[in-house]
């Protein structure tokens, strides 16, 4: 045996013997971030893995939010669940009801002895994910809120001031008409997430209830009431604008067609999650983009309320070894550190979920350098949240959102009026709430 | 009728020969089917902590739901249209290819290609072509003054999924029809030609009846295809929308069970779907097969 081979094999044997000392606890993390967001997320896991050598976080992409939730539930039933799963805000009601499946984050942090100060987080974010006793059940991670993107070049072409975005819906209609009639763009407005933006957030902004019992925060016996005057009026407007060609529908849920309409300069204004910012910056290369808060009806409310959040949080699932949860707690601490959060927020357009991360961004001069990047946070933190604007919490909200989308499509197709469509959505939605109540009590 | 039967003298041998197939059927079909029947009588929270036996409530609720009844009729329209469209077009293509003597292999290869494409890819392909924002066809149709928007118009969305689903199945049907056509004896058609029968007369009185076993087989396969295998195509093109216009039974099972996490209702729907297919197949064998000449 040659010397090198000998030393190699000795080295190998030493390594093998030493392996147990380096044994790392694996923490599986299922998420729903694909493409650029997915890469940014993996960079966070990598950053944590490099920062210590006891734990390894293994992120796995599981498809859309709905698919990730379904996969986690199926895995839980088969006792193959991940330690952490990313669940969108719509799934919050479902997860909260599943007390036996969840290791609540406030308890998890206490068990692991990790310093954890919920007051450092943005109030609208923590409020959304707390139980009735004020305990936070899941770790805020990527929270967003809808904002308005607009095409400054088209505004200029239409003879409008590109620096002034429509503040109210009345202004939006006037400006939109000017854009279409001047031929600057064939369409004025498109929107992703009709349910989330044009119904849920619309209600919150105008301080109107979406459901009873404080929008579902008060218990399972809640009922929907989003077929009020304001919502009917708004849907009526959207239908009228759709007929006139001012508004173009981009599809249900995330509206696959809405973003392309904006990128191709077909529609001048685009309402979407603040997390769409990364995509807008990548795709809108031929024109200048303006950012603005969502418009409101100034005859309904003088000062619009805060908008409500979307996005997802991280839930720890039960059934793992104690050392895994210690690792999860350490990872959560890392994740919510100002540096990690500020970076994630600035790269993606998600909200900075802690005040420290927001302040760090201000110190770094990020908001001054990137005008419009603080629209989302200003919009969600303005005023004092009311019972109608602190968020919504309903079981099986995924199904309800699908129903609202369907009814909106029926409205656009002309088979129902706005009142009929919203009445029907409320009625069908209430049925789903009763199912959820029956299955969880 | 007697000729269709084979009599085994040994009583046990046939069962023994059937054993592997029976085992596979039992494990991969009967057992899951029974599980589905069981959950269709239950209401359960998504995580499976609480299960309540609720008798037929899942079923009664389904039939009281106008959307489910709507989904039934949508499925019927979809399945019948896909079956007719894909079979007629592929028969036409098969007859055309069969008439070409020298280059028919080239045509056959080209026509079979779409079958190798995965359903989701087919869906996305047609979604792109027909997309009202970025598609080429709506752009051309707009030039002709036709407003094409399957995002809002349910009938257009239905046309879109029918075309997409048929396009994929045409290749499969085509292969069988070509094989069937090539087994029609030349002597018969030649004799008829000599007797003065024109091409249409020859096709409808000689070729088509001789193709009846193939046609019957394809009929069953196509209906089952339209009812079960088109899930990927619908998911990628319309996701059942707009306003449930293309929400076929199998897609609704997926949407309610996997997206809505309503396992009881989803199970009840799959049981009903299973019964429908059993009934359809039984009817086909009972009434249509009598007219088939082997």
């Amino acid at each position: 045996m040659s010397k090198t081979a000998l030393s190699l094999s000795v080295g190998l044997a030493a390594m093998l013997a030493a392996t147990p000392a380096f044994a790392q606890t694996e923490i599986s993390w299922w998420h729903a971030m694909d493409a650029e967001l997915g890469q940014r997320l993996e960079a966070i896991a990598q950053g944590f893995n490099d920062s210590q050598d006891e734990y390894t976080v293994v992120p796995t992409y599981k498809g859309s939010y709905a698919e990730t939730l379904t996969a986690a539930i199926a895995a839980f039933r088969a006792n193959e669940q991940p330690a952490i799963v990313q669940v969108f805000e719509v799934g919050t009601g479902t997860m909260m009801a599943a007390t036996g499946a969840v290791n609540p984050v406030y308890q998890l942090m206490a068990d692991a002895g990790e310093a954890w100060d919920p007051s450092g987080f943005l109030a609208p974010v923590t409020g959304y994910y707390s139980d009735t006793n004020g305990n936070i059940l899941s770790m805020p991670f990527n929270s967003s809120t809808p904002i308005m993107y607009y095409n400054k070049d088209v505004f200029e072409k239409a003879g409008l001031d590109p620096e002034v975005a429509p503040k109210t819906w009345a202004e939006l209609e006037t400006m939109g008409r000017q854009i279409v009639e001047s031929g600057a763009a064939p369409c004025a407005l498109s929107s992703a997430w009709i349910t989330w933006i044009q119904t849920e957030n619309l209600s919150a902004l105008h301080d109107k209830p979406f459901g009873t019992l404080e929008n579902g925060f008060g218990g399972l016996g809640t009922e929907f009431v989003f077929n009020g005057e304001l919502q009917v009026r708004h849907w009526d407007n959207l239908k009228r604008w759709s007929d006139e060609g001012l508004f173009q529908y981009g599809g249900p849920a995330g509206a696959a067609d809405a973003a392309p309409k904006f990128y191709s300069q077909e529609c001048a204004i685009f309402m979407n999650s603040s997390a769409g910012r990364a995509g807008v910056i990548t795709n809108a290369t031929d024109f200048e983009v303006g950012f603005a808060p969502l418009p409101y009806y100034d005859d309904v409310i003088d000062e619009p309320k805060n908008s409500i959040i979307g996005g997802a949080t991280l839930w720890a699932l039960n059934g793992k070894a104690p050392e895994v949860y210690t690792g999860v707690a350490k990872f959560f601490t890392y994740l919510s550190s100002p540096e990690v959060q500020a970076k994630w927020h600035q790269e993606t357009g998600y909200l900075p979920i802690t005040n420290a991360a927001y302040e760090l961004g201000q110190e770094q001069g990020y908001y001054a350098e990137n005008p419009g990047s603080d629209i989302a946070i200003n919009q969600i933190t303005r005023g004092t949240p009311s019972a109608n604007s602190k968020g919504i919490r309903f079981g099986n909200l995924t199904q309800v959102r699908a129903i609202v989308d369907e009814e909106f499509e029926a409205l656009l197709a002309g088979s129902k009026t706005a009142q009929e469509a919203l009445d029907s959505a409320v009625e069908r939605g209430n049925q789903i709430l009763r199912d959820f109540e029956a299955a969880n009590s | 009728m007697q000729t269709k039967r084979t009599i085994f003298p040994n009583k046990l041998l046939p069962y023994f020969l059937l054993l592997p197939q029976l085992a596979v059927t039992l494990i991969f079909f009967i057992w899951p089917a029974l599980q589905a029947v069981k959950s269709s009588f239950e209401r359960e929270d998504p995580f499976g902590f609480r299960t309540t036996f609720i008798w037929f409530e899942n079923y009664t609720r389904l039939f009281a739901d106008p959307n489910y009844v709507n989904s039934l009729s949508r499925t019927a329209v979809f399945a019948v249209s896909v079956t007719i469209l894909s079979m007629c077009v592929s028969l036409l293509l098969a007859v055309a290819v069969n008439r070409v003597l020298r280059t028919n292999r080239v045509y056959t290869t080209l026509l079979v290609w779409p079958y190798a494409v995965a359903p989701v890819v087919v869906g996305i392909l047609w979604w792109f072509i027909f997309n009202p924002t970025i598609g080429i066809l709506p752009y051309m149709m707009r030039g002709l003054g036709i407003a094409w928007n399957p995002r809002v118009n349910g009938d257009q969305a239905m046309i879109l999924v029918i075309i997409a689903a048929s396009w994929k199945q045409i290749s499969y049907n085509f292969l069988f029809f070509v094989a069937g056509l090539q087994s029609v004896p030349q002597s018969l058609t030649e004799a008829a030609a000599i007797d003065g029968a024109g091409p249409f007369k020859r096709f409808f009185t000689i070729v088509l009846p001789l193709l009846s076993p193939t046609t019957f087989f394809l009929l069953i396969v196509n209906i089952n295809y339209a009812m079960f295998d088109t899930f990927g195509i619908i998911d990628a093109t319309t996701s059942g929308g707009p306003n449930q216009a293309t929400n076929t039974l199998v897609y609704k099972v997926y949407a309610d069970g996997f997206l809505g996490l309503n396992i009881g209702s989803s199970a009840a729907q799959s049981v009903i779907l299973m019964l429908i297919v059993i009934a359809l197949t039984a009817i086909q064998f009972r009434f249509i097969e009598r007219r088939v000449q082997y």
Side-chain angles (χ1 to χ4, degrees):
Chain A
M1 198 184 269
S2 74
K3 257 190 178 167
T4 37
L6 186 74
S7 55
L8 259 178
S9 60
V10 168
L12 203 68
M15 267 171 67
L16 282 174
T19 308
F22 290 123
Q24 294 184 324
T25 309
E26 200 178 287
I27 299 164
S28 45
W29 178 17
W30 287 7
H31 66 88
M33 305 270 92
D34 62 348
E36 286 166 25
L37 295 178
Q39 288 168 11
R40 305 264 145 81
L41 181 147
E42 271 165 28
I44 292 178
Q46 195 56 50
F48 174 71
N49 292 344
D50 293 344
S51 73
Q52 43 73 53
D53 51 13
E54 261 180 280
Y55 307 99
T56 318
V57 171
V58 185
T60 312
Y61 173 64
K62 277 287 170 179
S64 70
Y65 278 138
E67 284 162 356
T68 305
L69 177 60
T70 311
I73 288 174
F76 186 85
R77 294 177 69 128
N79 210 13
E80 299 281 340
Q81 70 273 31
I84 308 172
V85 60
Q86 184 187 21
V87 176
F88 59 160
E89 91 285 3
V90 183
T92 306
T94 304
M95 297 300 288
M96 283 192 173
T99 38
V102 170
N103 191 345
V105 70
Y106 74 93
Q107 208 173 329
L108 177 97
M109 298 306 255
D111 290 351
E114 283 289 310
W116 154 257
D117 179 20
S119 64
F121 288 77
L122 294 186
V125 176
T126 41
Y128 203 102
Y129 299 105
S130 302
D131 65 10
T132 35
N133 301 325
N135 294 316
I136 302 180
L137 301 184
S138 63
M139 181 69 195
F141 173 55
N142 57 323
S143 295
S144 59
T145 200
I147 59 168
M148 181 163 76
Y149 302 87
Y150 69 99
N151 186 328
K152 286 187 175 177
D153 292 15
V154 167
F155 268 55
E156 194 156 16
K157 231 185 279 175
L160 296 163
D161 182 354
E163 298 310 320
V164 179
K167 257 171 72 182
T168 64
W169 282 104
E171 278 176 30
L172 189 139
E173 184 176 351
T174 327
M175 291 183 180
R177 191 156 283 135
Q178 194 170 334
I179 286 166
V180 173
E181 278 167 7
S182 67
C187 136
L189 168 71
S190 190
S191 171
W193 303 106
I194 293 295
T195 325
W196 182 49
I197 301 178
Q198 310 298 348
T199 318
E200 292 167 16
N201 268 287
L202 176 90
S203 308
L205 245 52
H206 296 87
D207 203 9
K208 298 279 183 243
F210 193 78
T212 58
L213 296 178
E214 295 190 25
N215 280 347
F217 278 74
L220 291 176
T222 170
E223 280 185 7
F224 290 118
V225 291
F226 57 82
N227 52 348
E229 202 182 324
L230 167 80
Q231 293 91 341
V232 170
R233 170 181 173 188
H234 187 56
W235 277 36
D236 253 335
N237 281 340
L238 289 172
K239 162 69 175 161
R240 191 163 50 84
W241 297 335
S242 164
D243 292 343
E244 291 175 26
L246 295 182
F247 166 70
Q248 281 190 14
Y249 178 59
D257 286 350
K261 282 181 203 290
F262 183 65
Y263 301 152
S264 64
Q265 309 208 44
E266 195 173 339
C267 292
I269 302 170
F270 173 43
M271 291 178 191
N272 192 18
S273 158
S274 61
R277 187 185 163 86
V280 165
I281 288 169
T282 318
N283 287 290
T285 44
D286 304 338
F287 59 95
E288 214 185 320
V289 183
F291 306 87
L294 292 180
Y296 60 99
Y297 290 98
D298 53 353
D299 54 336
V300 176
I301 193 162
D302 294 331
E303 286 293 319
K305 286 277 171 193
N306 60 297
S307 56
I308 54 177
I309 62 166
T313 52
L314 304 180
W315 293 79
L317 293 177
N318 271 337
K320 295 277 176 190
E323 66 264 25
V324 172
Y325 293 114
T326 316
V328 171
K330 288 201 187 319
F331 176 57
F332 281 174
T333 303
Y334 175 83
L335 192 75
S336 42
S337 68
E339 293 75 24
V340 174
Q341 262 308 314
K343 188 161 184 278
W344 168 253
H345 151 62
Q346 292 167 12
E347 282 176 347
T348 60
Y350 281 111
L351 296 166
I353 50 163
T354 60
N355 295 319
Y358 180 48
E359 282 155 18
L360 183 66
Q362 285 172 322
E363 279 166 31
Q364 293 167 337
Y366 172 75
Y367 302 105
E369 274 168 43
N370 299 276
S373 54
D374 52 355
I375 295 280
I377 182 154
N378 290 339
Q379 182 182 262
I380 204 167
T381 50
R382 72 183 168 202
T384 335
S386 71
N388 294 325
S389 75
K390 72 175 174 190
I392 56 167
R393 181 173 310 147
F394 302 99
N396 289 340
L397 191 58
T398 330
Q399 283 168 286
V400 177
R401 281 200 169 165
I403 286 174
V404 176
D405 279 337
E406 282 172 25
E407 297 294 343
F408 189 72
E409 285 167 351
L411 167 78
L412 289 184
S415 56
K416 278 179 187 166
T417 66
Q419 184 76 57
E420 285 166 358
L422 282 162
D423 286 349
S424 160
V426 163
E427 193 192 320
R428 289 170 64 193
N430 283 338
Q431 183 63 57
I432 284 175
L433 290 182
R434 294 294 75 76
D435 283 355
F436 187 77
E437 194 183 6
N440 286 287
S441 52
Chain B
M1 276 293 154
Q2 273 301 320
T3 49
K4 285 186 183 176
R5 258 179 211 192
T6 313
I7 311 284
F8 284 89
N10 186 326
K11 288 265 180 257
L12 287 175
L13 181 66
Y15 296 101
F16 181 74
L17 292 176
L18 274 176
L19 209 61
Q21 179 64 47
L22 279 178
V24 169
T25 314
L26 219 60
I27 295 169
F28 292 103
F29 179 72
I30 305 285
W31 186 46
L34 288 178
Q35 285 283 329
V37 173
K38 179 175 166 284
S39 358
S40 74
F41 291 112
E42 293 168 348
R43 176 168 52 218
E44 197 173 34
D45 71 294
F47 284 89
F49 290 122
R50 287 169 293 263
T51 309
T52 337
F53 188 79
I54 53 165
W55 286 104
F56 290 95
E57 201 186 315
N58 283 326
Y59 291 93
T60 49
R61 286 266 301 274
L62 272 182
F63 285 101
D65 178 8
N67 283 309
Y68 188 69
V69 183
N70 170 51
S71 177
L72 273 173
S73 62
R74 295 281 172 187
T75 312
V77 170
F78 177 72
V80 170
S81 308
V82 168
T83 307
I84 292 176
L85 184 66
S86 65
M87 283 180 71
C88 288
V89 172
S90 48
L91 181 60
L92 199 75
L93 290 171
V95 171
V97 166
N98 202 38
R99 287 169 66 92
V100 185
L101 292 176
R102 244 183 264 157
T103 44
N104 76 12
R105 286 207 166 197
V106 180
Y107 284 115
T108 306
T109 312
L110 289 177
L111 284 164
V112 167
W113 268 355
Y115 195 64
V117 182
V120 179
V121 178
V122 174
I124 290 172
L125 190 82
W126 286 96
W127 180 84
F128 267 118
I129 296 175
F130 278 114
N131 187 291
T133 305
I134 50 176
I136 182 81
L137 266 176
Y139 180 75
M140 293 180 345
M141 282 156 94
R142 223 172 295 150
L144 296 171
I146 305 167
W148 174 266
N149 192 358
R151 275 270 180 240
V152 174
N153 188 317
D155 294 335
Q156 291 180 351
M158 182 52 109
I159 292 172
L160 167 57
V161 288
I162 289 172
I163 293 178
S166 306
W167 180 77
K168 175 156 172 57
Q169 190 64 3
I170 282 170
S171 310
Y172 181 86
N173 295 348
F174 168 80
L175 265 189
F176 279 85
F177 275 132
V178 167
L181 283 172
Q182 285 180 349
S183 66
V184 174
Q186 284 280 308
S187 54
L188 284 179
T189 42
E190 275 166 14
I194 291 167
D195 287 345
F200 283 98
K201 184 91 180 158
R202 292 203 299 269
F203 178 75
F204 284 106
T205 51
I206 298 170
V207 178
L208 207 54
L210 285 172
L211 271 180
S212 64
T214 314
T215 315
F216 175 66
F217 165 76
L218 287 179
L219 187 71
I220 294 177
V221 167
N222 277 280
I223 286 182
N224 282 328
Y225 160 78
M227 291 190 72
F228 288 103
D229 271 2
T230 47
F231 160 77
I233 290 175
I234 291 177
D235 193 39
T237 46
T238 62
S239 301
N243 193 16
Q244 305 216 356
T246 54
N247 202 2
T248 59
L249 290 174
V250 67
Y251 193 75
K252 197 168 157 53
V253 169
Y254 163 79
D256 287 0
F258 285 84
L259 300 178
L261 299 169
N262 191 345
I263 296 161
S265 174
S266 180
Q269 290 174 37
S270 16
V271 170
I272 294 171
L273 194 56
M274 183 166 71
L275 293 177
I276 292 174
V277 171
I278 290 173
L280 273 181
T281 313
I283 291 169
Q284 283 167 335
F285 273 94
R286 185 85 180 78
F287 297 105
I288 304 179
E289 204 206 9
R290 287 187 180 174
R291 308 186 51 176
V292 171
Q293 307 290 319
Y294 288 99

